[in-house]
Amino acid sequence: LPRRWVVERTFGWLVRNRRLARDYERLTVNSEAMIKVAMIRLMTIRLAGQAVRWSNTTEREAARRINAERLIAT
């Protein structure tokens, strides 16, 4: 069960990329390449230590609420 959550979380990270949110690619090779590009982008942002930029207001609002709940819980 814990491994399943790792996979689900990874899929969540990948879906943040617009091109991976829908099945636009016709060839499997192209889909694999886009997944690699998305993961490279994610890892370079983490290695650079940059803050995550949210792509839309819904995600930003969700992150704000989670942070507020954490502060209240502590």
Coordinates of all heavy atoms in Angstrom, one line a residue:
L1 N 0.8 -1.2 0.0 CA 0.0 0.0 0.0 C 0.9 1.3 0.0 O 0.6 2.2 -0.8 CB -1.0 0.0 1.2 CG -2.0 1.1 1.2 CD1 -2.9 1.0 0.0 CD2 -2.8 1.0 2.5
P2 N 1.9 1.4 0.8 CA 2.7 2.6 0.7 C 3.3 2.9 -0.7 O 3.4 4.0 -1.1 CB 3.8 2.3 1.7 CG 3.3 1.3 2.7 CD 2.4 0.5 1.8
R3 N 3.7 1.8 -1.4 CA 4.3 2.0 -2.7 C 3.2 2.6 -3.7 O 3.5 3.4 -4.6 CB 4.8 0.7 -3.3 CG 6.0 0.2 -2.7 CD 7.1 1.2 -2.8 NE 7.9 1.1 -4.0 CZ 8.9 1.9 -4.3 NH1 9.2 2.9 -3.6 NH2 9.5 1.7 -5.4
R4 N 2.0 2.2 -3.5 CA 0.9 2.7 -4.3 C 0.8 4.3 -4.2 O 0.6 5.0 -5.2 CB -0.4 2.1 -3.9 CG -1.6 2.6 -4.8 CD -2.9 1.9 -4.5 NE -3.9 2.6 -5.3 CZ -5.1 2.6 -5.0 NH1 -5.5 2.1 -3.8 NH2 -6.0 3.2 -5.7
W5 N 0.9 4.8 -3.0 CA 0.8 6.2 -2.8 C 2.0 6.9 -3.4 O 1.8 8.1 -3.9 CB 0.7 6.5 -1.3 CG -0.6 6.1 -0.8 CD1 -0.8 5.1 0.1 CD2 -1.9 6.7 -1.1 NE1 -2.2 5.0 0.3 CE2 -2.8 5.9 -0.4 CE3 -2.3 7.7 -2.0 CZ2 -4.2 6.2 -0.5 CZ3 -3.6 7.9 -2.1 CH2 -4.6 7.2 -1.4
V6 N 3.1 6.3 -3.5 CA 4.3 6.9 -4.2 C 4.0 7.1 -5.6 O 4.2 8.1 -6.2 CB 5.6 6.0 -4.0 CG1 6.7 6.5 -4.9 CG2 6.0 6.0 -2.5
V7 N 3.4 6.0 -6.2 CA 3.0 6.1 -7.6 C 1.9 7.1 -7.9 O 2.0 7.9 -8.8 CB 2.5 4.7 -8.1 CG1 2.0 4.8 -9.5 CG2 3.7 3.7 -8.1
E8 N 0.9 7.2 -7.0 CA -0.2 8.1 -7.2 C 0.3 9.6 -7.0 O -0.1 10.4 -7.8 CB -1.3 7.9 -6.1 CG -2.0 6.6 -6.3 CD -2.9 6.6 -7.5 OE1 -3.4 7.6 -7.9 OE2 -3.1 5.5 -8.1
R9 N 1.2 9.8 -6.1 CA 1.8 11.1 -5.9 C 2.6 11.5 -7.1 O 2.5 12.7 -7.6 CB 2.7 11.1 -4.7 CG 3.3 12.4 -4.4 CD 4.2 12.3 -3.2 NE 5.3 11.4 -3.5 CZ 6.0 10.7 -2.6 NH1 5.8 10.8 -1.4 NH2 7.0 9.9 -3.0
T10 N 3.3 10.6 -7.7 CA 4.1 10.9 -8.9 C 3.2 11.2 -10.1 O 3.5 12.2 -10.8 CB 5.0 9.7 -9.3 OG1 5.8 9.3 -8.1 CG2 5.9 10.0 -10.5
F11 N 2.1 10.5 -10.2 CA 1.1 10.8 -11.3 C 0.6 12.2 -11.1 O 0.3 12.9 -12.0 CB 0.0 9.8 -11.3 CG 0.4 8.5 -11.9 CD1 -0.3 7.3 -11.6 CD2 1.4 8.4 -12.8 CE1 0.1 6.1 -12.1 CE2 1.8 7.2 -13.4 CZ 1.1 6.0 -13.0
G12 N 0.3 12.6 -9.8 CA -0.2 13.9 -9.5 C 0.8 15.0 -9.9 O 0.4 16.0 -10.5
W13 N 2.1 14.7 -9.7 CA 3.1 15.7 -10.1 C 3.1 15.8 -11.7 O 3.3 16.9 -12.2 CB 4.5 15.3 -9.7 CG 4.7 15.4 -8.2 CD1 4.1 16.2 -7.3 CD2 5.6 14.6 -7.4 NE1 4.5 16.0 -6.0 CE2 5.5 15.0 -6.1 CE3 6.5 13.6 -7.7 CZ2 6.2 14.5 -5.1 CZ3 7.3 13.1 -6.7 CH2 7.1 13.5 -5.4
L14 N 3.0 14.7 -12.3 CA 3.0 14.7 -13.8 C 1.8 15.4 -14.4 O 2.0 16.1 -15.4 CB 3.1 13.3 -14.3 CG 4.4 12.6 -14.1 CD1 4.3 11.1 -14.5 CD2 5.6 13.2 -14.8
V15 N 0.7 15.3 -13.8 CA -0.6 15.9 -14.4 C -0.5 17.4 -14.3 O -1.2 18.1 -15.0 CB -1.8 15.3 -13.7 CG1 -3.1 16.0 -14.1 CG2 -1.9 13.8 -14.1
R16 N 0.3 17.9 -13.4 CA 0.5 19.4 -13.4 C 0.9 20.0 -14.7 O 0.7 21.2 -15.0 CB 1.4 19.8 -12.3 CG 0.9 19.7 -10.9 CD 1.9 20.2 -9.9 NE 1.3 20.1 -8.6 CZ 2.1 20.3 -7.5 NH1 3.3 20.6 -7.6 NH2 1.5 20.2 -6.3
N17 N 1.6 19.2 -15.5 CA 2.0 19.6 -16.8 C 0.9 19.5 -17.8 O 0.3 18.5 -17.9 CB 3.2 18.8 -17.3 CG 4.4 19.0 -16.4 OD1 5.1 20.1 -16.5 ND2 4.8 18.0 -15.6
R18 N 0.5 20.6 -18.4 CA -0.7 20.7 -19.3 C -0.6 19.6 -20.3 O -1.7 19.0 -20.6 CB -0.8 22.0 -19.9 CG -1.2 23.1 -19.0 CD -1.3 24.4 -19.8 NE -1.6 25.5 -18.8 CZ -1.9 26.7 -19.2 NH1 -1.9 27.0 -20.5 NH2 -2.1 27.6 -18.3
R19 N 0.5 19.4 -20.9 CA 0.6 18.4 -22.1 C 0.3 17.0 -21.6 O -0.1 16.2 -22.4 CB 1.9 18.5 -22.7 CG 1.9 17.9 -24.1 CD 3.0 18.4 -24.9 NE 3.1 17.7 -26.2 CZ 3.8 18.1 -27.2 NH1 4.6 19.1 -27.0 NH2 3.8 17.4 -28.3
L20 N 0.6 16.7 -20.3 CA 0.3 15.4 -19.8 C -1.1 15.2 -19.2 O -1.5 14.1 -18.9 CB 1.4 15.0 -18.8 CG 2.8 15.0 -19.3 CD1 3.8 14.7 -18.2 CD2 3.0 13.9 -20.4
A21 N -1.8 16.3 -19.1 CA -3.1 16.2 -18.5 C -4.1 15.5 -19.5 O -5.1 14.9 -19.0 CB -3.7 17.6 -18.1
R22 N -3.9 15.6 -20.7 CA -4.7 14.9 -21.8 C -3.8 14.1 -22.6 O -2.6 14.3 -22.7 CB -5.4 16.0 -22.6 CG -6.3 16.9 -21.9 CD -7.6 16.2 -21.6 NE -8.6 17.1 -21.0 CZ -8.8 17.1 -19.7 NH1 -8.1 16.4 -18.9 NH2 -9.7 18.0 -19.2
D23 N -4.4 13.2 -23.3 CA -3.6 12.3 -24.2 C -3.5 12.9 -25.6 O -4.3 12.5 -26.5 CB -4.3 10.9 -24.2 CG -3.4 9.9 -24.9 OD1 -2.2 10.1 -24.9 OD2 -3.9 8.8 -25.3
Y24 N -2.5 13.8 -25.8 CA -2.4 14.5 -27.0 C -1.5 13.7 -28.0 O -1.6 13.8 -29.2 CB -1.7 15.8 -26.8 CG -2.6 16.8 -26.2 CD1 -2.3 17.4 -25.0 CD2 -3.8 17.2 -26.7 CE1 -3.1 18.3 -24.3 CE2 -4.7 18.1 -26.1 CZ -4.3 18.6 -24.9 OH -5.1 19.5 -24.3
E25 N -0.5 12.9 -27.5 CA 0.5 12.2 -28.3 C -0.1 11.0 -29.0 O -0.9 10.3 -28.4 CB 1.6 11.8 -27.4 CG 2.2 12.9 -26.5 CD 2.7 14.1 -27.2 OE1 3.1 14.0 -28.4 OE2 2.6 15.2 -26.7
R26 N 0.3 10.8 -30.2 CA -0.1 9.6 -31.0 C 0.8 8.5 -30.7 O 0.4 7.3 -30.8 CB -0.2 10.0 -32.4 CG -1.3 10.9 -32.8 CD -1.4 11.1 -34.2 NE -2.4 12.1 -34.5 CZ -3.0 12.3 -35.7 NH1 -2.6 11.5 -36.7 NH2 -3.9 13.2 -35.9
L27 N 2.1 8.8 -30.6 CA 3.1 7.7 -30.4 C 3.5 7.5 -28.9 O 3.6 8.5 -28.2 CB 4.3 8.0 -31.2 CG 4.1 8.1 -32.8 CD1 5.4 8.5 -33.4 CD2 3.6 6.8 -33.3
T28 N 3.7 6.3 -28.5 CA 4.1 6.0 -27.2 C 5.5 6.7 -26.9 O 5.7 7.1 -25.8 CB 4.2 4.5 -26.9 OG1 3.0 3.9 -27.3 CG2 4.5 4.2 -25.5
V29 N 6.3 6.7 -27.9 CA 7.7 7.3 -27.7 C 7.6 8.7 -27.4 O 8.3 9.2 -26.5 CB 8.5 7.1 -29.0 CG1 9.8 7.8 -28.9 CG2 8.7 5.6 -29.3
N30 N 6.6 9.4 -28.0 CA 6.4 10.9 -27.7 C 5.9 11.1 -26.3 O 6.3 12.0 -25.6 CB 5.5 11.5 -28.7 CG 6.1 11.6 -30.1 OD1 7.3 11.4 -30.3 ND2 5.2 11.9 -31.0
S31 N 5.0 10.2 -25.9 CA 4.5 10.3 -24.5 C 5.6 10.1 -23.5 O 5.6 10.8 -22.5 CB 3.3 9.3 -24.3 OG 2.2 9.6 -25.1
E32 N 6.4 9.1 -23.7 CA 7.5 8.8 -22.8 C 8.5 10.0 -22.7 O 8.9 10.3 -21.6 CB 8.3 7.5 -23.2 CG 7.5 6.3 -23.0 CD 8.3 5.1 -23.6 OE1 9.5 5.2 -23.8 OE2 7.6 4.0 -23.8
A33 N 8.7 10.6 -23.9 CA 9.6 11.8 -23.9 C 9.0 12.9 -23.1 O 9.8 13.6 -22.3 CB 9.9 12.2 -25.3
M34 N 7.7 13.1 -23.2 CA 7.1 14.2 -22.4 C 7.1 14.0 -20.9 O 7.3 14.9 -20.1 CB 5.7 14.5 -22.9 CG 5.6 15.0 -24.4 SD 6.7 16.4 -24.7 CE 6.1 17.6 -23.6
I35 N 7.0 12.7 -20.6 CA 7.0 12.3 -19.1 C 8.5 12.6 -18.6 O 8.6 13.1 -17.5 CB 6.6 10.9 -18.9 CG1 5.1 10.7 -19.2 CG2 7.0 10.4 -17.5 CD1 4.6 9.3 -19.2
K36 N 9.5 12.2 -19.4 CA 10.9 12.5 -19.0 C 11.1 14.0 -18.9 O 11.8 14.4 -17.9 CB 11.8 11.8 -20.0 CG 11.8 10.3 -19.9 CD 12.8 9.7 -20.9 CE 12.7 8.2 -20.8 NZ 13.6 7.6 -21.8
V37 N 10.6 14.7 -19.8 CA 10.8 16.2 -19.8 C 10.2 16.8 -18.5 O 10.7 17.6 -17.8 CB 10.3 16.9 -21.0 CG1 10.2 18.4 -20.9 CG2 11.1 16.5 -22.2
A38 N 9.0 16.3 -18.2 CA 8.2 16.8 -17.0 C 9.0 16.4 -15.7 O 9.1 17.3 -14.8 CB 6.8 16.2 -16.9
M39 N 9.6 15.2 -15.6 CA 10.3 14.8 -14.4 C 11.6 15.6 -14.4 O 12.1 16.0 -13.3 CB 10.5 13.3 -14.4 CG 9.3 12.5 -14.2 SD 8.3 13.0 -12.8 CE 9.3 12.5 -11.5
I40 N 12.3 15.8 -15.5 CA 13.5 16.6 -15.5 C 13.2 18.0 -15.0 O 14.0 18.6 -14.2 CB 14.2 16.6 -16.9 CG1 14.7 15.2 -17.2 CG2 15.2 17.7 -17.0 CD1 15.1 15.1 -18.7
R41 N 12.1 18.6 -15.5 CA 11.8 19.9 -15.0 C 11.5 20.0 -13.5 O 12.0 20.9 -12.8 CB 10.5 20.4 -15.8 CG 10.0 21.7 -15.4 CD 8.8 22.1 -16.2 NE 8.2 23.3 -15.8 CZ 7.2 23.4 -14.9 NH1 6.7 22.4 -14.4 NH2 6.8 24.6 -14.5
L42 N 10.8 19.0 -13.0 CA 10.5 18.9 -11.6 C 11.8 18.8 -10.8 O 11.9 19.5 -9.8 CB 9.6 17.7 -11.3 CG 9.2 17.4 -9.9 CD1 8.3 18.6 -9.4 CD2 8.5 16.1 -9.8
M43 N 12.7 17.9 -11.2 CA 13.9 17.7 -10.4 C 14.8 18.9 -10.5 O 15.5 19.2 -9.5 CB 14.6 16.4 -10.9 CG 13.8 15.2 -10.7 SD 13.3 15.0 -8.9 CE 14.8 14.8 -8.1
T44 N 14.9 19.6 -11.6 CA 15.8 20.8 -11.7 C 15.2 21.9 -10.8 O 16.0 22.6 -10.2 CB 15.9 21.3 -13.1 OG1 14.6 21.5 -13.7 CG2 16.7 20.3 -14.0
I45 N 13.9 22.0 -10.7 CA 13.4 23.0 -9.8 C 13.7 22.7 -8.4 O 14.1 23.6 -7.6 CB 11.8 23.1 -10.0 CG1 11.5 23.8 -11.3 CG2 11.2 23.9 -8.9 CD1 10.1 23.8 -11.7
R46 N 13.6 21.4 -8.0 CA 13.9 21.0 -6.6 C 15.4 21.2 -6.3 O 15.8 21.6 -5.3 CB 13.5 19.6 -6.4 CG 12.0 19.4 -6.4 CD 11.6 18.0 -6.1 NE 10.2 17.9 -6.0 CZ 9.6 16.8 -5.7 NH1 10.2 15.7 -5.5 NH2 8.3 16.8 -5.6
L47 N 16.3 20.8 -7.3 CA 17.7 20.9 -7.1 C 18.1 22.4 -7.0 O 19.0 22.7 -6.2 CB 18.5 20.2 -8.2 CG 18.4 18.7 -8.1 CD1 19.0 18.1 -9.4 CD2 19.1 18.2 -6.9
A48 N 17.5 23.2 -7.7 CA 17.8 24.7 -7.7 C 17.3 25.3 -6.4 O 17.7 26.5 -6.1 CB 17.2 25.4 -8.9
G49 N 16.4 24.7 -5.7 CA 15.8 25.2 -4.5 C 14.8 26.4 -4.7 O 14.6 27.2 -3.8
Q50 N 14.3 26.4 -5.9 CA 13.3 27.5 -6.2 C 11.9 27.1 -5.6 O 11.6 25.9 -5.4 CB 13.1 27.6 -7.7 CG 14.4 28.2 -8.3 CD 14.2 28.3 -9.8 OE1 13.2 27.9 -10.4 NE2 15.2 28.8 -10.5
A51 N 11.2 28.1 -5.3 CA 9.8 27.9 -4.8 C 8.9 27.4 -5.9 O 9.1 27.8 -7.1 CB 9.2 29.2 -4.2
V52 N 8.0 26.6 -5.6 CA 7.1 26.1 -6.6 C 6.1 27.2 -7.1 O 5.6 27.9 -6.3 CB 6.2 24.9 -6.1 CG1 5.2 24.4 -7.1 CG2 7.2 23.8 -5.7
R53 N 6.0 27.3 -8.4 CA 5.0 28.3 -8.9 C 3.8 27.6 -9.3 O 3.8 26.6 -10.1 CB 5.6 29.0 -10.2 CG 6.7 29.9 -9.8 CD 7.2 30.6 -11.1 NE 7.7 31.9 -10.8 CZ 8.2 32.7 -11.7 NH1 8.2 32.3 -13.0 NH2 8.6 33.8 -11.4
W54 N 2.7 28.0 -8.8 CA 1.4 27.3 -9.1 C 0.9 27.8 -10.4 O 0.9 29.0 -10.7 CB 0.4 27.6 -7.9 CG 0.9 27.0 -6.7 CD1 1.4 27.8 -5.6 CD2 1.0 25.7 -6.3 NE1 1.8 26.9 -4.6 CE2 1.6 25.7 -5.0 CE3 0.7 24.5 -6.9 CZ2 1.8 24.5 -4.3 CZ3 0.9 23.3 -6.2 CH2 1.5 23.3 -4.9
S55 N 0.3 26.9 -11.1 CA -0.1 27.2 -12.5 C -1.5 27.9 -12.5 O -1.8 28.5 -13.5 CB -0.2 26.0 -13.4 OG -1.0 25.0 -12.8
N56 N -2.3 27.7 -11.5 CA -3.6 28.4 -11.5 C -4.0 28.7 -10.0 O -3.4 28.3 -9.1 CB -4.6 27.5 -12.2 CG -4.9 26.2 -11.5 OD1 -4.7 26.1 -10.3 ND2 -5.3 25.2 -12.2
T57 N -5.0 29.5 -9.9 CA -5.5 30.0 -8.6 C -6.1 28.9 -7.7 O -6.0 28.9 -6.5 CB -6.5 31.1 -8.8 OG1 -7.6 30.6 -9.6 CG2 -5.9 32.3 -9.4
T58 N -6.6 27.8 -8.3 CA -7.2 26.7 -7.6 C -6.1 26.0 -6.8 O -6.3 25.7 -5.6 CB -8.0 25.8 -8.5 OG1 -8.9 26.5 -9.3 CG2 -8.6 24.7 -7.7
E59 N -5.0 25.7 -7.5 CA -3.9 25.0 -6.8 C -3.3 25.9 -5.7 O -2.9 25.5 -4.6 CB -2.9 24.6 -7.8 CG -3.3 23.5 -8.7 CD -2.2 23.1 -9.7 OE1 -1.2 23.7 -9.7 OE2 -2.5 22.1 -10.4
R60 N -3.2 27.2 -6.0 CA -2.6 28.1 -5.1 C -3.5 28.2 -3.8 O -3.0 28.2 -2.7 CB -2.5 29.5 -5.7 CG -1.7 30.5 -4.9 CD -1.5 31.9 -5.5 NE -1.1 31.8 -6.9 CZ -1.9 32.3 -7.9 NH1 -3.0 33.0 -7.6 NH2 -1.5 32.3 -9.1
E61 N -4.8 28.3 -4.0 CA -5.7 28.3 -2.9 C -5.7 27.1 -2.1 O -5.7 27.1 -0.8 CB -7.1 28.6 -3.4 CG -8.2 28.7 -2.3 CD -8.0 30.0 -1.5 OE1 -7.3 30.9 -1.9 OE2 -8.5 30.0 -0.3
A62 N -5.6 25.9 -2.7 CA -5.5 24.6 -2.0 C -4.2 24.6 -1.2 O -4.3 24.1 0.0 CB -5.5 23.5 -3.0
A63 N -3.1 25.0 -1.7 CA -1.9 25.0 -0.9 C -2.0 26.0 0.2 O -1.5 25.7 1.3 CB -0.7 25.5 -1.9
R64 N -2.6 27.1 0.0 CA -2.8 28.1 1.1 C -3.6 27.5 2.3 O -3.3 27.6 3.4 CB -3.4 29.4 0.6 CG -3.4 30.5 1.7 CD -4.3 31.7 1.2 NE -5.7 31.3 1.0 CZ -6.6 31.2 2.1 NH1 -6.1 31.3 3.3 NH2 -7.8 30.9 1.9
R65 N -4.7 26.8 1.9 CA -5.5 26.1 2.9 C -4.8 25.1 3.7 O -4.9 24.9 4.9 CB -6.8 25.6 2.3 CG -7.7 26.6 1.9 CD -9.0 26.0 1.3 NE -9.9 27.1 0.8 CZ -10.9 26.9 0.1 NH1 -11.3 25.6 -0.2 NH2 -11.7 27.9 -0.3
I66 N -4.0 24.3 3.0 CA -3.2 23.2 3.6 C -2.2 23.8 4.6 O -2.1 23.3 5.8 CB -2.5 22.3 2.6 CG1 -3.5 21.5 1.8 CG2 -1.5 21.4 3.2 CD1 -3.0 20.8 0.6
N67 N -1.6 24.9 4.2 CA -0.6 25.5 5.1 C -1.3 26.1 6.3 O -0.8 26.0 7.5 CB 0.2 26.6 4.4 CG 1.2 26.0 3.4 OD1 1.6 24.9 3.6 ND2 1.5 26.7 2.4
A68 N -2.5 26.7 6.1 CA -3.2 27.3 7.2 C -3.7 26.2 8.2 O -3.6 26.3 9.4 CB -4.4 28.0 6.7
E69 N -4.1 25.0 7.7 CA -4.5 23.9 8.5 C -3.3 23.4 9.3 O -3.5 23.0 10.5 CB -5.1 22.8 7.7 CG -6.5 23.1 7.1 CD -7.0 22.1 6.2 OE1 -6.3 21.1 6.0 OE2 -8.1 22.3 5.7
R70 N -2.1 23.3 8.7 CA -0.9 22.9 9.5 C -0.6 23.8 10.6 O -0.2 23.4 11.7 CB 0.2 22.8 8.5 CG 0.2 21.6 7.6 CD 1.4 21.5 6.7 NE 1.3 20.5 5.7 CZ 2.0 20.5 4.6 NH1 2.9 21.4 4.3 NH2 1.8 19.5 3.8
L71 N -0.7 25.1 10.3 CA -0.4 26.1 11.4 C -1.4 26.0 12.5 O -1.1 26.1 13.7 CB -0.5 27.5 10.8 CG 0.7 27.9 9.9 CD1 0.5 29.2 9.3 CD2 2.0 27.8 10.7
I72 N -2.7 25.7 12.2 CA -3.7 25.6 13.3 C -3.5 24.3 14.1 O -3.7 24.4 15.3 CB -5.1 25.6 12.6 CG1 -5.4 27.0 12.0 CG2 -6.2 25.2 13.6 CD1 -6.7 27.1 11.2
A73 N -3.1 23.3 13.4 CA -2.9 22.0 14.1 C -1.7 22.0 15.1 O -1.7 21.3 16.0 CB -2.7 20.9 13.1
T74 N -0.7 22.9 14.8 CA 0.5 22.9 15.7 C 0.3 23.9 16.8 O -0.5 24.5 17.2 CB 1.7 23.3 14.9 OG1 1.5 24.6 14.3 CG2 2.1 22.2 13.9

